Amino acid sequence: MENATLFLLLKQMDTRRRNQFRQFVFAPFANKHLEVQRLCEAVLQGAPDFELDKTALYQAATGDSAFRETVFNNLMSDLLQLLYDFLVWEQLQEDTMLRQDLLLKKLIPEDIPKASHRQLRLMERHLSGSSLQNGQYHYTAAQFNRHHDQQLLLEGNRKYDERLQRQNDHLDLYFLIEKLRLACDMTSRNTVVQAGYQCTHLETVRQMYRQLTTFHPVAAIYHAALLMLEQAGERTHFEALIRLLQQHQSCLPADELQVLHSYALNYCVKRINFGEPEYYREVLNLYQSMLHNKLVFNHQGQITQWTYINIATAGMRLGELDWTAHFLQEYRPFLPPDIRDNVFQHNLASLYFAKGQYRETLSKLQEVAFTDAFYGLSAKMIQIKCYFELQETEAALSLLESARMFLRRNKRLSGYQIRSAQHFFQVAGKLLRFREGRRLRPVIEKEVAQIQAEIRALSPLANRDWCEEKAGGLMG
């Protein structure tokens, strides 16, 4: 397990970071064990795949041809611990505030006032120069005022000083913001997975918010988000959240902004599912804002396939096909390399379908390697829709049968995906067979009404909009 963790972490690193890790391992202060250094060298030579033989690694590290499992495991454990230490070192390099906080914790007890005051001024300068106003900022500001107060006490200053009061005020804001943030997280998860989380002291937190004497942008953002999550039918809270995010985005770090945007996106999806398709515009607006502010990327600097698909789908749904085509090309390099081509080709096929280029769609789908069950299923649904549009009923009905068999045999799809696809195949079959038959108009009207009622009743249903559109066109 430790070996697997070591290799997984190293795979996540680029060449520059792996080289820095090597330098860290070879630094005498961090590690003086030559065998661990040699092991590190041998392991890093296996980058980027790290398909290594443990016997060869052991021999490279120890020079001993007689493999000993216990010794090898201990060396690998030591190397993994050094990698953990390296990650801590990286975090310290990235977080100036944390570094200064830790320095002052060690420096002030040494009782060298000149050095302490210099570091306190540096920390104060960083705090005052920061645009952040989130909970972590206020916690750090409270720590700064605590350090300052401790320094004054060491110097024998027993008079009133505002630092103690500021420590209290910043801690109040830290508590308020973090409790509102946590309440949002709990409410969201309770909605998604019915987890049953309970945010304690929430009414006290609400009262604290109402009693704020000055406007606080981050507290207002999380308060609006919480109301939106609690009162899904009230649009004003959604609008308030979007407005506050636009006005005060610089007050929050990227990871918190990503979460808040996900709350807003989930709200829009819920409204769409309740039959309010106008929220597709809000979805695309949110994604375009996230693209502009580089909030679509994960910690590896990549865009997930689901974000990529959702953005493309919103663009196509709103008919912004040129914009969608540009997006697909521009952000293709940011997809994970192992799925990049499949995801791109699949979405390009969807774009061709949205343009009404059904032959090109079928041709493009032939370039997708269906190694993923989701893409295999999605491709079959697109193909069925193409055959329907091309009035190639026999090909569509034949594909329907193979698609149903695909569903029965595939164990990697979720229950939701299976039910949604089954319902689509059910409706598609009726649409196809209806179009082939000849009936008197009263019979046609009755059967169309039955199909439309079935579409409204089925849930979940993939491609609901398309099904409704085609059912509505049967009378023509």
Side-chain angles (χ1 to χ4, degrees):
M1 179 59 72
E2 289 185 343
N3 297 353
T5 302
L6 175 69
F7 295 139
L8 285 172
L9 285 170
L10 289 173
K11 283 181 179 180
Q12 297 286 354
M13 295 180 174
D14 58 22
T15 302
R16 179 187 61 84
R17 290 181 67 204
R18 286 196 292 264
N19 286 337
Q20 287 182 334
F21 172 57
R22 181 190 179 281
Q23 293 171 9
F24 184 84
V25 172
F26 277 75
F29 179 79
N31 170 55
K32 297 179 181 179
H33 298 288
L34 294 177
E35 289 184 339
V36 177
Q37 292 175 352
R38 290 194 290 263
L39 176 63
C40 175
E41 192 76 66
V43 166
L44 292 178
Q45 286 177 2
D49 298 324
F50 296 99
E51 295 179 358
L52 300 165
D53 176 68
K54 63 181 183 180
T55 304
L57 289 177
Y58 178 82
Q59 187 169 359
T62 65
D64 189 352
S65 58
F67 180 77
R68 289 186 291 173
E69 187 83 33
T70 303
V71 175
F72 175 73
N73 288 340
N74 288 338
L75 288 171
M76 291 294 286
S77 179
D78 290 343
L79 187 58
L80 177 61
Q81 186 57 54
L82 281 168
L83 182 52
Y84 288 152
D85 293 342
F86 172 74
L87 295 177
V88 173
W89 176 83
E90 275 191 321
Q91 184 62 36
L92 282 172
Q93 305 314 301
E94 296 168 6
D95 194 333
T96 302
M97 297 291 195
L98 175 60
R99 196 163 64 247
Q100 289 182 315
D101 179 35
L102 294 174
L103 173 59
L104 285 164
K105 283 180 180 177
K106 296 294 291 185
L107 186 58
I108 289 174
E110 298 294 334
D111 197 14
I112 308 175
K114 186 176 181 179
S116 296
H117 279 290
R118 183 176 185 278
Q119 292 303 320
L120 284 166
R121 286 193 299 271
L122 283 173
M123 190 171 186
E124 185 172 31
R125 195 179 305 156
H126 279 114
L127 284 166
S128 61
S130 174
S131 64
L132 296 178
Q133 291 289 316
N134 65 326
Q136 186 59 48
Y137 167 85
H138 287 291
Y139 176 80
T140 305
Q143 287 294 94
F144 161 74
N145 284 282
R146 178 172 179 267
H147 293 318
H148 207 292
D149 183 61
Q150 285 180 325
Q151 181 61 40
L152 293 176
L153 290 175
L154 278 175
E155 295 172 11
N157 187 343
R158 303 297 178 187
K159 298 178 182 179
Y160 170 82
D161 184 85
E162 61 188 3
R163 303 294 178 178
L164 187 60
Q165 184 64 53
R166 288 183 183 179
Q167 180 184 350
N168 174 83
D169 296 347
H170 280 294
L171 281 175
D172 280 351
L173 286 169
Y174 169 73
F175 174 79
L176 170 63
I177 293 168
E178 285 300 294
K179 286 294 287 187
L180 285 171
R181 185 189 64 78
L182 191 60
C184 289
D185 195 4
M186 287 180 163
T187 305
S188 175
R189 295 195 200 189
N190 285 343
T191 301
V192 175
V193 297
Q194 299 180 336
Y197 292 115
Q198 295 182 359
C199 187
T200 55
H201 308 297
L202 186 53
E203 287 310 310
T204 301
V205 172
R206 294 184 199 272
Q207 186 176 357
M208 285 179 66
Y209 177 77
R210 290 191 293 267
Q211 291 176 347
L212 286 175
T213 56
T214 57
F215 172 77
H216 193 287
V218 175
I221 286 171
Y222 278 114
H223 185 257
L226 180 59
L227 291 176
M228 181 193 71
L229 291 165
E230 291 176 330
Q231 304 172 30
E234 183 54 67
R235 181 180 170 86
T236 56
H237 302 312
F238 167 77
E239 292 174 342
L241 175 61
I242 299 304
R243 183 174 63 255
L244 288 165
L245 284 172
Q246 291 171 343
Q247 294 171 349
H248 305 288
Q249 182 164 279
S250 63
C251 294
L252 284 160
D255 59 338
E256 292 187 45
L257 285 170
Q258 286 176 324
V259 173
L260 286 161
H261 279 79
S262 75
Y263 294 154
L265 286 167
N266 289 338
Y267 173 87
C268 293
V269 170
K270 185 178 293 185
R271 302 317 307 167
I272 290 169
N273 291 338
F274 278 126
E276 300 176 58
E278 61 270 21
Y279 275 91
Y280 274 111
R281 171 55 59 188
E282 302 291 353
V283 168
L284 188 58
N285 288 344
L286 281 163
Y287 274 128
Q288 287 176 333
S289 174
M290 293 176 73
L291 289 167
H292 177 73
N293 293 293
K294 297 180 172 56
L295 296 174
V296 295
F297 302 110
N298 59 21
H299 292 300
Q300 285 77 45
Q302 297 174 339
I303 183 171
T304 70
Q305 59 178 317
W306 309 118
T307 299
Y308 189 83
I309 291 171
N310 290 340
I311 294 173
T313 300
M316 287 183 273
R317 181 65 178 78
L318 292 168
E320 297 197 12
L321 304 184
D322 291 340
W323 181 90
T324 303
H326 177 76
F327 162 77
L328 291 177
Q329 290 287 355
E330 183 178 358
Y331 286 88
R332 177 183 184 179
F334 299 102
L335 286 163
D338 58 326
I339 61 171
R340 182 176 299 152
D341 289 340
N342 262 7
V343 176
F344 173 74
Q345 297 295 349
H346 180 273
N347 281 277
L348 197 58
S350 297
L351 180 62
Y352 282 136
F353 181 86
K355 291 180 176 181
Q357 299 173 348
Y358 305 121
R359 293 291 180 196
E360 291 85 347
T361 303
L362 293 170
S363 176
K364 185 58 62 176
L365 286 173
Q366 293 177 0
E367 300 179 29
V368 182
F370 299 123
T371 55
D372 184 284
F374 168 79
Y375 292 111
L377 176 61
S378 180
K380 291 181 186 302
M381 289 192 280
I382 295 173
Q383 288 171 315
I384 289 169
K385 292 191 294 182
C386 284
Y387 288 135
F388 182 93
E389 301 289 356
L390 294 168
Q391 298 191 18
E392 296 183 8
T393 305
E394 185 176 338
L397 290 172
S398 175
L399 184 57
L400 266 177
E401 288 306 310
S402 65
R404 290 188 177 107
M405 187 175 298
F406 175 84
L407 277 184
R408 287 194 294 269
R409 292 179 176 177
N410 200 292
K411 307 299 182 185
R412 291 175 294 174
L413 295 166
S414 70
Y416 178 91
Q417 290 171 325
I418 291 173
R419 291 193 303 277
S420 183
Q422 285 174 333
H423 291 157
F424 169 73
F425 295 151
Q426 178 180 326
V427 172
K430 291 188 177 182
L431 292 172
L432 288 161
R433 281 184 281 271
F434 177 91
R435 200 168 60 179
E436 289 301 292
R438 294 188 177 183
R439 305 165 182 80
L440 296 175
R441 187 165 186 83
V443 177
I444 292 175
E445 291 176 353
K446 181 179 179 181
E447 289 192 20
V448 169
Q450 289 174 342
I451 293 174
Q452 290 174 326
E454 185 174 349
I455 291 171
R456 289 192 295 270
L458 288 173
S459 181
L461 172 60
N463 302 292
R464 181 180 294 277
D465 293 341
W466 183 86
C467 292
E468 290 175 345
E469 178 188 344
K470 299 309 161 185
L474 292 177
M475 293 296 296

